Amino acid sequence: MGLSGHKGKLTLITLLVIASIAFIIYSLAKSWAPSRNTYPLQGVLVNQEHGNPIWTTLGKTGVDFAYLTASKGTNQRDDSFSNNLSGVKDAGIRYGSVHDFDICRLATDQATLFNTTVPRDPDALPPAVKIGFSDNCTSKPNRALILSEISSFLGQIELHVEKPAIILLEPDFEDHYNISGSIDRNMWAEGNYFVPSYTARPWRMWTANKARNISGIDTPVPWVVLR
């Protein structure tokens, strides 16, 4: 074998080793979750993009709770909510409902959608309100208006479910509006693999892995832990 052929073989081997290492790292990242010693209660956040979860399987493989997306904006009900709601109840998994808040829509209309989608259940976990920027809403209203609309929405849904909500704050939105410093609710923060520190008050929940592979769901799903 010539010198050039020998170098080519070494290069191929090196590339294969690098590819193997990259695949291992990727696989570990996709299956990673924080230690249960630190966060004993862990669960998932699901919506219609996650297909049809097998909740009995999920309940047996470490899903302690599930947050189910119920509604978005003023006119979008999640197609999977009813089935997921039945599934978690049958599997004995504790659940909460999520509304994806649209800052370009009136709070009252959004609250009406949520309240007519989510049944009152004293055993349910606190509802969650996901707040962030979106591609279909490029407007950035002033902070006073945002705080007023969020407070109005919270008041109306909390009257319906009879418990305080938790706020799921996206980092860039919190950086722009500082919601957690002005609204007295438990916070749900995001931080892929890294503990988040962007909220003004200590967070109660953390999306630790935005796309975790687990048995019972065909697509990667956000993995959430409770503090």
Side-chain angles (χ1 to χ4, degrees):
M1 178 183 295
L3 182 59
S4 61
H6 182 68
K7 287 183 178 180
K9 185 176 181 180
L10 288 176
T11 300
L12 178 60
I13 293 173
T14 301
L15 290 174
L16 289 174
V17 170
I18 292 173
S20 298
I21 293 173
F23 177 77
I24 292 171
I25 293 173
Y26 174 82
S27 299
L28 290 173
K30 284 295 184 180
S31 61
W32 179 84
S35 169
R36 294 238 177 211
N37 293 329
T38 305
Y39 305 101
L41 297 178
Q42 306 193 12
V44 292
L45 167 61
V46 301
N47 59 36
Q48 61 193 27
E49 296 178 359
H50 297 113
N52 299 302
I54 304 174
W55 290 107
T56 52
T57 299
L58 293 170
K60 296 174 183 177
T61 56
V63 172
D64 302 307
F65 62 86
Y67 266 86
L68 316 175
T69 300
S71 52
K72 179 179 181 179
T74 59
N75 59 6
Q76 297 181 49
R77 288 186 170 92
D78 191 283
D79 292 338
S80 67
F81 179 69
S82 294
N83 287 337
N84 283 333
L85 185 58
S86 297
V88 293
K89 288 182 175 181
D90 290 343
I93 297 173
R94 296 206 65 189
Y95 82 93
S97 303
V98 181
H99 177 79
D100 196 338
F101 192 83
D102 187 338
I103 63 172
C104 287
R105 304 296 178 185
L106 291 176
T108 295
D109 293 340
Q110 297 191 63
T112 297
L113 177 65
F114 180 85
N115 290 345
T116 55
T117 302
V118 178
R120 184 181 286 115
D121 181 354
D123 295 326
L125 296 172
V129 185
K130 183 178 180 181
I131 308 176
F133 295 116
S134 63
D135 293 338
N136 63 352
C137 174
T138 57
S139 175
K140 291 185 179 179
N142 67 68
R143 184 171 183 270
L145 178 59
I146 288 291
L147 290 174
S148 175
E149 285 292 280
I150 292 173
S151 295
S152 175
F153 177 82
L154 291 173
Q156 292 176 71
I157 70 164
E158 289 172 349
L159 185 63
H160 171 66
V161 300
E162 299 180 333
K163 62 190 65 177
I166 186 168
I167 300 178
L168 199 177
L169 275 174
E170 296 187 353
D172 55 348
F173 193 88
E174 171 66 357
D175 183 62
H176 188 83
Y177 284 112
N178 185 26
I179 299 300
S180 64
S182 299
I183 296 182
D184 186 16
R185 295 293 190 283
N186 283 325
M187 295 294 152
W188 178 342
E190 297 180 333
N192 217 23
Y193 312 122
F194 297 99
V195 177
S197 59
Y198 61 87
T199 53
R201 66 181 72 245
W203 49 265
R204 179 66 170 162
M205 296 176 66
W206 164 33
T207 303
N209 190 337
K210 291 185 177 181
R212 188 181 184 214
N213 291 324
I214 55 175
S215 297
I217 297 183
D218 292 334
T219 60
V221 64
W223 190 256
V224 184
V225 302
L226 178 69
R227 180 165 68 179

